[in-house]
Amino acid sequence: DARVTQTPRHKVTEMGQEVTMRCQPILGHNTVFWYRQTMMQGLELLAYFRNRAPLDDSGMPKDRFSAEMPDATLATLKIQPSEPRDSAVYFCASGLRQHGELFFGEGSRLTVL
Amino acid sequence: GQQLNQSPQSMFIQEGEDVSMNCTSSSIFNTWLWYKQDPGEGPVLLIALYKAGELTSNGRLTAQFGITRKDSFLNISASIPSDVGIYFCAGQGDYGGSQGNLIFGKGTKLSVKP
């Protein structure tokens, strides 16, 4: 049963700490997206990759956020230093370029105190 | 920037009733997708639409890609308690030849009276 896997599912940390979230996309998918979900803003696109190359990260605060794909089976989203306003659920999704369909992971719920 | 207006924001319905929700945009999209999100989980794809005018069904769900390519609707027939959740529309354009961003609506929260 192919699925997008995200870790950790939950993370509570203190302001100023580094947070790294990981995503394993569905095997064979060549696009990976990172979204952030909050009550106020809904689902916001942070970054996306195609064939491991970053195509758009304009939605990401550059001073503290970074997204990478070290290899085709791993995408990472890092926040350093974290702030309380970063508290949200972060979703990774993967898909194939020729289709618009994205498949989401279960999310990483981040709480920054 | 791209925006999707999804309505209604929330609705309560009686079990067995039909439900309708829609999304509109000021921009043209090449793809419309409908997702459902249950509490504590990620959005799950329900229906994907790729052609203007296309009407697609998935069980009790039916969705249409508007002729103008600027809107889409989702209908749920004979609602049941497990239909409770948040439904999102998402639209995708094709900007400059690269895969466009998937833009999401704010969601429609569906609650069913038992």
PDB file of all heavy atoms in Angstrom, chain A residues 2-31:
ATOM      1  N   ALA A   2       1.062   1.898  -1.149  1.00  0.00           N
ATOM      2  CA  ALA A   2       1.955   3.032  -1.259  1.00  0.00           C
ATOM      3  C   ALA A   2       1.386   4.231  -0.519  1.00  0.00           C
ATOM      4  O   ALA A   2       0.208   4.556  -0.663  1.00  0.00           O
ATOM      5  CB  ALA A   2       2.145   3.387  -2.735  1.00  0.00           C
ATOM      6  N   ARG A   3       2.242   4.869   0.252  1.00  0.00           N
ATOM      7  CA  ARG A   3       1.800   6.065   0.953  1.00  0.00           C
ATOM      8  C   ARG A   3       2.996   6.965   1.229  1.00  0.00           C
ATOM      9  O   ARG A   3       4.140   6.525   1.235  1.00  0.00           O
ATOM     10  CB  ARG A   3       1.096   5.703   2.256  1.00  0.00           C
ATOM     11  CG  ARG A   3       1.983   5.015   3.282  1.00  0.00           C
ATOM     12  CD  ARG A   3       1.224   4.706   4.551  1.00  0.00           C
ATOM     13  NE  ARG A   3       0.199   3.692   4.345  1.00  0.00           N
ATOM     14  CZ  ARG A   3      -0.636   3.295   5.296  1.00  0.00           C
ATOM     15  NH1 ARG A   3      -0.596   3.838   6.496  1.00  0.00           N
ATOM     16  NH2 ARG A   3      -1.538   2.365   5.047  1.00  0.00           N
ATOM     17  N   VAL A   4       2.691   8.228   1.481  1.00  0.00           N
ATOM     18  CA  VAL A   4       3.703   9.194   1.872  1.00  0.00           C
ATOM     19  C   VAL A   4       3.882   9.073   3.385  1.00  0.00           C
ATOM     20  O   VAL A   4       2.893   9.092   4.133  1.00  0.00           O
ATOM     21  CB  VAL A   4       3.273  10.625   1.504  1.00  0.00           C
ATOM     22  CG1 VAL A   4       4.282  11.636   2.030  1.00  0.00           C
ATOM     23  CG2 VAL A   4       3.101  10.758  -0.010  1.00  0.00           C
ATOM     24  N   THR A   5       5.124   8.950   3.814  1.00  0.00           N
ATOM     25  CA  THR A   5       5.419   8.768   5.234  1.00  0.00           C
ATOM     26  C   THR A   5       6.108  10.009   5.782  1.00  0.00           C
ATOM     27  O   THR A   5       7.107  10.469   5.201  1.00  0.00           O
ATOM     28  CB  THR A   5       6.320   7.538   5.443  1.00  0.00           C
ATOM     29  OG1 THR A   5       5.677   6.398   4.873  1.00  0.00           O
ATOM     30  CG2 THR A   5       6.540   7.294   6.921  1.00  0.00           C
ATOM     31  N   GLN A   6       5.585  10.519   6.881  1.00  0.00           N
ATOM     32  CA  GLN A   6       6.177  11.697   7.507  1.00  0.00           C
ATOM     33  C   GLN A   6       6.572  11.394   8.945  1.00  0.00           C
ATOM     34  O   GLN A   6       5.849  10.690   9.656  1.00  0.00           O
ATOM     35  CB  GLN A   6       5.189  12.867   7.524  1.00  0.00           C
ATOM     36  CG  GLN A   6       4.925  13.486   6.178  1.00  0.00           C
ATOM     37  CD  GLN A   6       4.063  14.725   6.281  1.00  0.00           C
ATOM     38  OE1 GLN A   6       2.923  14.738   5.828  1.00  0.00           O
ATOM     39  NE2 GLN A   6       4.609  15.770   6.885  1.00  0.00           N
ATOM     40  N   THR A   7       7.712  11.940   9.339  1.00  0.00           N
ATOM     41  CA  THR A   7       8.130  11.865  10.738  1.00  0.00           C
ATOM     42  C   THR A   7       8.702  13.209  11.174  1.00  0.00           C
ATOM     43  O   THR A   7       9.262  13.942  10.338  1.00  0.00           O
ATOM     44  CB  THR A   7       9.204  10.783  10.942  1.00  0.00           C
ATOM     45  OG1 THR A   7      10.321  11.059  10.082  1.00  0.00           O
ATOM     46  CG2 THR A   7       8.666   9.403  10.661  1.00  0.00           C
ATOM     47  N   PRO A   8       8.544  13.592  12.447  1.00  0.00           N
ATOM     48  CA  PRO A   8       7.703  12.930  13.440  1.00  0.00           C
ATOM     49  C   PRO A   8       6.234  13.262  13.230  1.00  0.00           C
ATOM     50  O   PRO A   8       5.909  14.203  12.528  1.00  0.00           O
ATOM     51  CB  PRO A   8       8.221  13.529  14.753  1.00  0.00           C
ATOM     52  CG  PRO A   8       8.628  14.924  14.378  1.00  0.00           C
ATOM     53  CD  PRO A   8       9.187  14.818  12.984  1.00  0.00           C
ATOM     54  N   ARG A   9       5.346  12.552  13.844  1.00  0.00           N
ATOM     55  CA  ARG A   9       3.922  12.883  13.768  1.00  0.00           C
ATOM     56  C   ARG A   9       3.608  14.073  14.669  1.00  0.00           C
ATOM     57  O   ARG A   9       2.745  14.892  14.340  1.00  0.00           O
ATOM     58  CB  ARG A   9       3.061  11.690  14.191  1.00  0.00           C
ATOM     59  CG  ARG A   9       3.023  10.545  13.212  1.00  0.00           C
ATOM     60  CD  ARG A   9       2.392  10.937  11.867  1.00  0.00           C
ATOM     61  NE  ARG A   9       1.129  11.641  11.995  1.00  0.00           N
ATOM     62  CZ  ARG A   9      -0.048  11.058  12.167  1.00  0.00           C
ATOM     63  NH1 ARG A   9      -0.136   9.749  12.242  1.00  0.00           N
ATOM     64  NH2 ARG A   9      -1.150  11.789  12.265  1.00  0.00           N
ATOM     65  N   HIS A  10       4.302  14.141  15.786  1.00  0.00           N
ATOM     66  CA  HIS A  10       4.096  15.247  16.720  1.00  0.00           C
ATOM     67  C   HIS A  10       5.457  15.697  17.245  1.00  0.00           C
ATOM     68  O   HIS A  10       6.344  14.870  17.478  1.00  0.00           O
ATOM     69  CB  HIS A  10       3.237  14.811  17.923  1.00  0.00           C
ATOM     70  CG  HIS A  10       1.890  14.288  17.541  1.00  0.00           C
ATOM     71  ND1 HIS A  10       0.811  15.107  17.322  1.00  0.00           N
ATOM     72  CD2 HIS A  10       1.460  13.026  17.314  1.00  0.00           C
ATOM     73  CE1 HIS A  10      -0.240  14.370  17.000  1.00  0.00           C
ATOM     74  NE2 HIS A  10       0.121  13.110  16.983  1.00  0.00           N
ATOM     75  N   LYS A  11       5.569  17.021  17.399  1.00  0.00           N
ATOM     76  CA  LYS A  11       6.819  17.577  17.945  1.00  0.00           C
ATOM     77  C   LYS A  11       6.479  18.795  18.777  1.00  0.00           C
ATOM     78  O   LYS A  11       5.803  19.714  18.301  1.00  0.00           O
ATOM     79  CB  LYS A  11       7.765  17.970  16.798  1.00  0.00           C
ATOM     80  CG  LYS A  11       9.040  18.659  17.232  1.00  0.00           C
ATOM     81  CD  LYS A  11       9.996  17.692  17.846  1.00  0.00           C
ATOM     82  CE  LYS A  11      11.332  18.359  18.149  1.00  0.00           C
ATOM     83  NZ  LYS A  11      12.294  17.404  18.775  1.00  0.00           N
ATOM     84  N   VAL A  12       6.943  18.782  20.028  1.00  0.00           N
ATOM     85  CA  VAL A  12       6.812  19.949  20.891  1.00  0.00           C
ATOM     86  C   VAL A  12       8.220  20.411  21.214  1.00  0.00           C
ATOM     87  O   VAL A  12       9.059  19.613  21.643  1.00  0.00           O
ATOM     88  CB  VAL A  12       6.049  19.623  22.199  1.00  0.00           C
ATOM     89  CG1 VAL A  12       5.941  20.877  23.066  1.00  0.00           C
ATOM     90  CG2 VAL A  12       4.660  19.070  21.886  1.00  0.00           C
ATOM     91  N   THR A  13       8.478  21.681  20.983  1.00  0.00           N
ATOM     92  CA  THR A  13       9.822  22.188  21.199  1.00  0.00           C
ATOM     93  C   THR A  13       9.749  23.601  21.744  1.00  0.00           C
ATOM     94  O   THR A  13       8.683  24.220  21.761  1.00  0.00           O
ATOM     95  CB  THR A  13      10.629  22.160  19.885  1.00  0.00           C
ATOM     96  OG1 THR A  13      12.013  22.422  20.167  1.00  0.00           O
ATOM     97  CG2 THR A  13      10.123  23.209  18.908  1.00  0.00           C
ATOM     98  N   GLU A  14      10.879  24.081  22.192  1.00  0.00           N
ATOM     99  CA  GLU A  14      10.918  25.442  22.712  1.00  0.00           C
ATOM    100  C   GLU A  14      11.440  26.402  21.646  1.00  0.00           C
ATOM    101  O   GLU A  14      12.230  26.021  20.779  1.00  0.00           O
ATOM    102  CB  GLU A  14      11.805  25.486  23.960  1.00  0.00           C
ATOM    103  CG  GLU A  14      11.207  24.731  25.132  1.00  0.00           C
ATOM    104  CD  GLU A  14      12.021  24.911  26.397  1.00  0.00           C
ATOM    105  OE1 GLU A  14      13.181  25.364  26.320  1.00  0.00           O
ATOM    106  OE2 GLU A  14      11.479  24.595  27.477  1.00  0.00           O
ATOM    107  N   MET A  15      10.971  27.599  21.772  1.00  0.00           N
ATOM    108  CA  MET A  15      11.400  28.648  20.844  1.00  0.00           C
ATOM    109  C   MET A  15      12.915  28.689  20.756  1.00  0.00           C
ATOM    110  O   MET A  15      13.626  28.606  21.777  1.00  0.00           O
ATOM    111  CB  MET A  15      10.864  29.993  21.341  1.00  0.00           C
ATOM    112  CG  MET A  15      11.184  31.165  20.442  1.00  0.00           C
ATOM    113  SD  MET A  15      10.362  32.673  20.990  1.00  0.00           S
ATOM    114  CE  MET A  15      11.071  32.905  22.592  1.00  0.00           C
ATOM    115  N   GLY A  16      13.411  28.818  19.535  1.00  0.00           N
ATOM    116  CA  GLY A  16      14.849  28.896  19.320  1.00  0.00           C
ATOM    117  C   GLY A  16      15.495  27.576  18.942  1.00  0.00           C
ATOM    118  O   GLY A  16      16.629  27.564  18.439  1.00  0.00           O
ATOM    119  N   GLN A  17      14.781  26.477  19.167  1.00  0.00           N
ATOM    120  CA  GLN A  17      15.337  25.163  18.857  1.00  0.00           C
ATOM    121  C   GLN A  17      15.193  24.864  17.364  1.00  0.00           C
ATOM    122  O   GLN A  17      14.309  25.376  16.676  1.00  0.00           O
ATOM    123  CB  GLN A  17      14.626  24.069  19.660  1.00  0.00           C
ATOM    124  CG  GLN A  17      14.820  24.195  21.157  1.00  0.00           C
ATOM    125  CD  GLN A  17      16.278  24.043  21.544  1.00  0.00           C
ATOM    126  OE1 GLN A  17      16.943  23.064  21.204  1.00  0.00           O
ATOM    127  NE2 GLN A  17      16.808  25.035  22.256  1.00  0.00           N
ATOM    128  N   GLU A  18      16.076  23.987  16.903  1.00  0.00           N
ATOM    129  CA  GLU A  18      16.000  23.535  15.511  1.00  0.00           C
ATOM    130  C   GLU A  18      15.008  22.395  15.398  1.00  0.00           C
ATOM    131  O   GLU A  18      14.947  21.506  16.257  1.00  0.00           O
ATOM    132  CB  GLU A  18      17.380  23.070  15.040  1.00  0.00           C
ATOM    133  CG  GLU A  18      17.389  22.533  13.609  1.00  0.00           C
ATOM    134  CD  GLU A  18      18.774  22.108  13.168  1.00  0.00           C
ATOM    135  OE1 GLU A  18      19.678  22.958  13.171  1.00  0.00           O
ATOM    136  OE2 GLU A  18      18.949  20.921  12.819  1.00  0.00           O
ATOM    137  N   VAL A  19      14.221  22.424  14.335  1.00  0.00           N
ATOM    138  CA  VAL A  19      13.244  21.370  14.074  1.00  0.00           C
ATOM    139  C   VAL A  19      13.478  20.830  12.675  1.00  0.00           C
ATOM    140  O   VAL A  19      13.634  21.604  11.717  1.00  0.00           O
ATOM    141  CB  VAL A  19      11.802  21.913  14.158  1.00  0.00           C
ATOM    142  CG1 VAL A  19      10.803  20.841  13.768  1.00  0.00           C
ATOM    143  CG2 VAL A  19      11.513  22.443  15.555  1.00  0.00           C
ATOM    144  N   THR A  20      13.538  19.525  12.550  1.00  0.00           N
ATOM    145  CA  THR A  20      13.661  18.889  11.236  1.00  0.00           C
ATOM    146  C   THR A  20      12.520  17.902  11.042  1.00  0.00           C
ATOM    147  O   THR A  20      12.297  17.030  11.878  1.00  0.00           O
ATOM    148  CB  THR A  20      14.997  18.145  11.084  1.00  0.00           C
ATOM    149  OG1 THR A  20      16.075  19.082  11.210  1.00  0.00           O
ATOM    150  CG2 THR A  20      15.091  17.491   9.712  1.00  0.00           C
ATOM    151  N   MET A  21      11.804  18.070   9.946  1.00  0.00           N
ATOM    152  CA  MET A  21      10.726  17.162   9.589  1.00  0.00           C
ATOM    153  C   MET A  21      11.132  16.405   8.325  1.00  0.00           C
ATOM    154  O   MET A  21      11.759  16.993   7.429  1.00  0.00           O
ATOM    155  CB  MET A  21       9.425  17.945   9.351  1.00  0.00           C
ATOM    156  CG  MET A  21       8.845  18.507  10.628  1.00  0.00           C
ATOM    157  SD  MET A  21       7.538  19.711  10.392  1.00  0.00           S
ATOM    158  CE  MET A  21       8.505  21.208  10.197  1.00  0.00           C
ATOM    159  N   ARG A  22      10.780  15.142   8.296  1.00  0.00           N
ATOM    160  CA  ARG A  22      11.205  14.283   7.195  1.00  0.00           C
ATOM    161  C   ARG A  22      10.016  13.681   6.467  1.00  0.00           C
ATOM    162  O   ARG A  22       8.956  13.455   7.071  1.00  0.00           O
ATOM    163  CB  ARG A  22      12.119  13.176   7.711  1.00  0.00           C
ATOM    164  CG  ARG A  22      13.448  13.689   8.249  1.00  0.00           C
ATOM    165  CD  ARG A  22      14.305  12.597   8.831  1.00  0.00           C
ATOM    166  NE  ARG A  22      15.640  13.106   9.194  1.00  0.00           N
ATOM    167  CZ  ARG A  22      15.905  13.772  10.298  1.00  0.00           C
ATOM    168  NH1 ARG A  22      14.943  14.023  11.178  1.00  0.00           N
ATOM    169  NH2 ARG A  22      17.134  14.195  10.537  1.00  0.00           N
ATOM    170  N   CYS A  23      10.241  13.398   5.202  1.00  0.00           N
ATOM    171  CA  CYS A  23       9.174  12.870   4.357  1.00  0.00           C
ATOM    172  C   CYS A  23       9.756  11.844   3.396  1.00  0.00           C
ATOM    173  O   CYS A  23      10.781  12.094   2.745  1.00  0.00           O
ATOM    174  CB  CYS A  23       8.520  14.013   3.585  1.00  0.00           C
ATOM    175  SG  CYS A  23       7.426  13.505   2.241  1.00  0.00           S
ATOM    176  N   GLN A  24       9.089  10.712   3.314  1.00  0.00           N
ATOM    177  CA  GLN A  24       9.429   9.717   2.303  1.00  0.00           C
ATOM    178  C   GLN A  24       8.302   9.694   1.276  1.00  0.00           C
ATOM    179  O   GLN A  24       7.189   9.266   1.593  1.00  0.00           O
ATOM    180  CB  GLN A  24       9.594   8.338   2.934  1.00  0.00           C
ATOM    181  CG  GLN A  24       9.977   7.257   1.929  1.00  0.00           C
ATOM    182  CD  GLN A  24      10.229   5.915   2.586  1.00  0.00           C
ATOM    183  OE1 GLN A  24      10.118   5.762   3.799  1.00  0.00           O
ATOM    184  NE2 GLN A  24      10.567   4.935   1.798  1.00  0.00           N
ATOM    185  N   PRO A  25       8.547  10.200   0.076  1.00  0.00           N
ATOM    186  CA  PRO A  25       7.476  10.232  -0.931  1.00  0.00           C
ATOM    187  C   PRO A  25       7.169   8.831  -1.441  1.00  0.00           C
ATOM    188  O   PRO A  25       7.910   7.878  -1.192  1.00  0.00           O
ATOM    189  CB  PRO A  25       8.070  11.106  -2.042  1.00  0.00           C
ATOM    190  CG  PRO A  25       9.542  11.018  -1.878  1.00  0.00           C
ATOM    191  CD  PRO A  25       9.802  10.779  -0.422  1.00  0.00           C
ATOM    192  N   ILE A  26       6.072   8.719  -2.160  1.00  0.00           N
ATOM    193  CA  ILE A  26       5.701   7.447  -2.766  1.00  0.00           C
ATOM    194  C   ILE A  26       6.735   7.092  -3.834  1.00  0.00           C
ATOM    195  O   ILE A  26       7.131   7.951  -4.642  1.00  0.00           O
ATOM    196  CB  ILE A  26       4.285   7.519  -3.363  1.00  0.00           C
ATOM    197  CG1 ILE A  26       3.255   7.661  -2.229  1.00  0.00           C
ATOM    198  CG2 ILE A  26       3.972   6.292  -4.210  1.00  0.00           C
ATOM    199  CD1 ILE A  26       1.832   7.896  -2.693  1.00  0.00           C
ATOM    200  N   LEU A  27       7.182   5.851  -3.821  1.00  0.00           N
ATOM    201  CA  LEU A  27       8.195   5.399  -4.766  1.00  0.00           C
ATOM    202  C   LEU A  27       7.735   5.641  -6.195  1.00  0.00           C
ATOM    203  O   LEU A  27       6.627   5.265  -6.589  1.00  0.00           O
ATOM    204  CB  LEU A  27       8.453   3.901  -4.539  1.00  0.00           C
ATOM    205  CG  LEU A  27       9.614   3.280  -5.313  1.00  0.00           C
ATOM    206  CD1 LEU A  27      10.928   3.896  -4.865  1.00  0.00           C
ATOM    207  CD2 LEU A  27       9.638   1.762  -5.124  1.00  0.00           C
ATOM    208  N   GLY A  28       8.613   6.310  -6.964  1.00  0.00           N
ATOM    209  CA  GLY A  28       8.278   6.586  -8.357  1.00  0.00           C
ATOM    210  C   GLY A  28       7.731   7.979  -8.604  1.00  0.00           C
ATOM    211  O   GLY A  28       7.700   8.445  -9.742  1.00  0.00           O
ATOM    212  N   HIS A  29       7.268   8.641  -7.547  1.00  0.00           N
ATOM    213  CA  HIS A  29       6.790  10.010  -7.707  1.00  0.00           C
ATOM    214  C   HIS A  29       7.977  10.952  -7.846  1.00  0.00           C
ATOM    215  O   HIS A  29       8.982  10.803  -7.150  1.00  0.00           O
ATOM    216  CB  HIS A  29       5.937  10.419  -6.503  1.00  0.00           C
ATOM    217  CG  HIS A  29       4.564   9.846  -6.543  1.00  0.00           C
ATOM    218  ND1 HIS A  29       3.599  10.182  -5.608  1.00  0.00           N
ATOM    219  CD2 HIS A  29       3.971   8.978  -7.403  1.00  0.00           C
ATOM    220  CE1 HIS A  29       2.480   9.536  -5.902  1.00  0.00           C
ATOM    221  NE2 HIS A  29       2.685   8.808  -6.975  1.00  0.00           N
ATOM    222  N   ASN A  30       7.854  11.928  -8.743  1.00  0.00           N
ATOM    223  CA  ASN A  30       8.988  12.816  -8.967  1.00  0.00           C
ATOM    224  C   ASN A  30       8.735  14.251  -8.523  1.00  0.00           C
ATOM    225  O   ASN A  30       9.568  15.126  -8.751  1.00  0.00           O
ATOM    226  CB  ASN A  30       9.405  12.791 -10.452  1.00  0.00           C
ATOM    227  CG  ASN A  30       8.305  13.313 -11.358  1.00  0.00           C
ATOM    228  OD1 ASN A  30       7.169  13.496 -10.933  1.00  0.00           O
ATOM    229  ND2 ASN A  30       8.643  13.553 -12.604  1.00  0.00           N
ATOM    230  N   THR A  31       7.574  14.508  -7.933  1.00  0.00           N
ATOM    231  CA  THR A  31       7.351  15.843  -7.362  1.00  0.00           C
ATOM    232  C   THR A  31       7.027  15.690  -5.876  1.00  0.00           C
ATOM    233  O   THR A  31       6.324  14.756  -5.473  1.00  0.00           O
ATOM    234  CB  THR A  31       6.201  16.593  -8.050  1.00  0.00           C
ATOM    235  OG1 THR A  31       4.990  15.860  -7.903  1.00  0.00           O
ATOM    236  CG2 THR A  31       6.488  16.818  -9.520  1.00  0.00           C
TER     237      THR A  31
END
